[in-house]
Amino acid sequence: MAPYQFIERPSPFNTSTGKTLPIFAVTPAHIETGSIDPIALDWAKKAGFKAESGAVLLIPSSDGHLGGALFGLGANPSEAPFLTGKLARALPAGKWHIETAPLSANRLALGYGLGSYRFERYKSSKVEAPTLLIPADADATDIKRQLAGVFLARDLINTPTNDMGPEALEAAFRALAGHYKADVSVISGEALLAQNFPLVHTVGRASAEAPRLLEMRWGKKGHRRVTLVGKGVCFDTGGLDIKPASSMLLMKKDMGGAANVMGLALMIMDAKLKIDLRVIVPVVENSISSNAFRPGDIYRSRKGLTVQIDNTDAEGRLILADALAHADEEQADLIIDMATLTGAARVALGPDLPPFFTDDGALAHELAEASLSVDDPMWRMPLHMGYDKDVSARIADLTNAPAGGMAGAITAALFLKRFVTNAKSWVHFDIFGWAQAERPHSPVGGEAQAIRALYHHIGKLAK
């Protein structure tokens, strides 16, 4: 069975049937020592090709047709492990294969696949793209599985809210579950109050589309219990504490946590990992209406803790609070939550390096190892309990927006920590979910962050 696709697109890979054109991936040393194909070397010298990182030089055949390509890796190929993603956008359409490359087959093919991503749902014309033959010693099935998870996250984030509101996100969630025969339950609208999800209802009640809590279960009882929780704010106006227009431009990505846990769930289910998987996604649109929640309001959470609303733009932690409390009612071996939660995380580490928070030192070490192993960056940040007092409110148990504006990513994590007391391990990821600049392995737009590393780690847990 092929992996689930939210948007169907042709594969970036070809099969060995028919003629494929060669790509010679080389470093400057290969040019200097002449240790490549003689015809390619001669053409490189005549063209002044220096094998700079990402440089592409097309090579003619003896009869004047396209005969192949040279691809520069630069002096230190390990610094850009997915540089081959550039080939997916630089080569002309056609079938290609790697003739020579001082790179691992898996990195080479995965990098190409990641760089092949295009979001053309709203384009009237499509670009014909090149395809690459996956090397025989690469794990083609797992590469395609990881690409499917990454592409699902990117597709969901890139889709604008008029086509990716709460109802559409639920439909995508159900389609993913249906593909892998997972069980789904949904609590929507006023039923959230009846079933004790008051904060999810509070944040989403002003929207034209009802707030909801999505839940998926897959796998067998008795296996390691892993629960994924993703923030699903389909659009965030900021509520009555409204954002300026410039800050709303990317708010379709505020469901990036939901998109990423769905991409991770796809990988886990497609690989048939021996995991008792649970996925929980609270879904809302933080809108403005006569019934919108207000600054100064106080609401009781699912866990019973009361929360004072000091800023309606700090809504993500509210819906996560109810979702995490629900997740924690079953003693999971591991709870992972992912959310586009704070600007403070971006100030600290920038858009490409997501911080994670956990009080489990062994888990943090294992995640760091997984990150390095698969070149999926993340960085541990401290759950500094000295700031825990800042999460308290004067007339309620908690505030959703501590005063002062300092250590915002840490205090947000400490807020969430109050709602996880039973799980063996818990980790919170404060992701950006967006690539601001084109990179070899991704165009500008929605981005999957940390889920390849988490898939690698969960795969080890399953064994």
Side-chain angles (χ1 to χ4, degrees):
M1 179 175 66
Y4 172 73
Q5 290 191 82
F6 175 68
I7 295 175
E8 291 190 7
R9 48 172 57 85
S11 172
F13 304 114
N14 62 62
T15 62
S16 56
T17 56
K19 182 182 178 182
T20 57
L21 293 167
I23 302 165
F24 302 92
V26 296
T27 66
H30 289 105
I31 303 294
E32 292 168 9
T33 60
S35 55
I36 60 170
D37 178 81
I39 296 175
L41 177 63
D42 180 62
W43 187 255
K45 289 182 174 179
K46 288 176 179 176
F49 181 76
K50 303 297 183 184
E52 296 97 338
S53 180
V56 175
L57 177 67
L58 298 179
I59 306 169
S61 63
S62 57
D63 59 0
H65 292 94
L66 179 61
L70 279 163
F71 181 57
L73 298 174
N76 297 299
S78 62
E79 293 178 355
F82 299 125
L83 186 64
T84 50
K86 279 197 169 185
L87 288 168
R89 298 192 291 276
L91 291 175
K95 291 184 175 183
W96 298 82
H97 72 272
I98 297 287
E99 185 75 21
T100 59
L103 302 168
S104 75
N106 280 339
R107 297 289 169 84
L108 180 157
L110 182 60
Y112 183 91
L114 290 169
S116 74
Y117 177 83
R118 291 175 171 85
F119 186 72
E120 298 180 323
R121 178 176 178 178
Y122 299 94
K123 290 282 191 179
S124 55
S125 59
K126 307 290 191 292
V127 176
E128 188 178 358
T131 58
L132 183 74
L133 179 66
I134 297 179
D137 54 342
D139 187 343
T141 300
D142 197 58
I143 287 167
K144 292 175 182 178
R145 174 182 301 131
Q146 291 185 61
L147 290 178
V150 169
F151 285 10
L152 173 60
R154 290 176 178 178
D155 284 345
L156 293 174
I157 295 169
N158 283 327
T159 303
T161 309
N162 58 306
D163 286 327
M164 191 47 64
E167 291 176 4
L169 185 54
E170 178 188 332
F173 190 87
R174 288 184 180 277
L176 172 64
H179 188 83
Y180 294 105
K181 296 180 171 56
D183 295 325
V184 171
S185 60
V186 176
I187 304 168
S188 181
E190 297 303 306
L192 289 166
L193 294 176
Q195 298 191 44
N196 194 24
F197 293 96
L199 294 180
V200 179
H201 181 271
T202 293
V203 174
R205 70 192 185 198
S207 172
E209 294 188 15
R212 59 206 68 202
L213 187 97
L214 314 179
E215 185 166 351
M216 181 191 307
R217 288 179 180 268
W218 176 91
K220 293 182 179 179
K221 301 297 182 186
H223 292 156
R224 290 287 188 97
R225 286 183 170 182
V226 175
T227 300
L228 312 178
V229 179
K231 172 187 169 186
V233 178
C234 293
F235 194 84
D236 182 18
T237 64
L240 293 177
D241 289 311
I242 191 169
K243 294 177 183 287
S246 59
S247 297
M248 274 195 240
L249 290 174
L250 283 184
M251 281 302 99
K252 69 177 183 179
K253 78 172 184 68
D254 213 18
M255 39 63 72
N260 271 268
V261 300
M262 288 170 66
L264 176 55
L266 183 155
M267 296 181 197
I268 292 168
M269 294 187 292
D270 196 81
K272 299 181 175 64
L273 296 184
K274 292 181 178 179
I275 291 293
D276 183 357
L277 179 67
R278 191 179 179 203
V279 186
I280 301 171
V281 176
V283 181
V284 300
E285 183 176 352
N286 189 17
S287 298
I288 298 172
S289 179
S290 61
N291 66 336
F293 70 121
R294 297 164 290 258
D297 285 354
I298 295 176
Y299 297 95
R300 189 172 299 278
S301 68
R302 179 178 183 84
K303 197 172 184 68
L305 296 171
T306 56
V307 183
Q308 179 173 302
I309 308 303
D310 286 320
N311 192 318
T312 61
D313 197 20
E315 84 299 329
R317 68 198 69 185
L318 298 175
I319 65 171
L320 285 173
D322 273 358
L324 285 169
H326 181 48
D328 198 48
E329 288 160 8
E330 293 183 6
Q331 190 178 49
D333 292 292
L334 175 61
I335 294 178
I336 301 167
D337 81 72
M338 307 189 82
T340 50
L341 204 62
T342 70
R346 254 45 67 200
V347 172
L349 298 179
D352 301 336
L353 185 57
F356 69 93
F357 301 80
T358 181
D359 51 11
D360 185 332
L363 173 62
H365 177 72
E366 291 162 3
L367 291 177
E369 283 192 334
S371 170
L372 291 172
S373 179
V374 300
D375 289 299
D376 195 8
M378 61 174 78
W379 197 264
R380 187 185 185 183
M381 293 277 274
L383 269 172
H384 179 54
M385 293 307 295
Y387 297 150
D388 191 59
K389 63 184 185 302
D390 298 334
V391 181
S392 298
R394 186 174 59 83
I395 60 171
D397 295 321
L398 301 169
T399 172
N400 78 324
M406 301 184 76
I410 299 174
T411 55
L414 289 169
F415 178 94
L416 297 179
K417 186 177 185 294
R418 298 288 190 98
F419 296 88
V420 182
T421 55
N422 295 319
K424 292 180 182 178
S425 294
W426 161 72
V427 60
H428 158 61
F429 283 84
D430 193 335
I431 65 172
F432 190 54
W434 192 265
Q436 287 190 307
E438 183 176 292
R439 296 168 294 177
H441 59 283
S442 70
V444 173
E447 185 58 301
Q449 293 187 306
I451 62 173
R452 288 189 302 103
L454 286 167
Y455 167 61
H456 182 76
H457 173 68
I458 293 167
K460 285 189 170 184
L461 284 184
K463 293 176 183 178

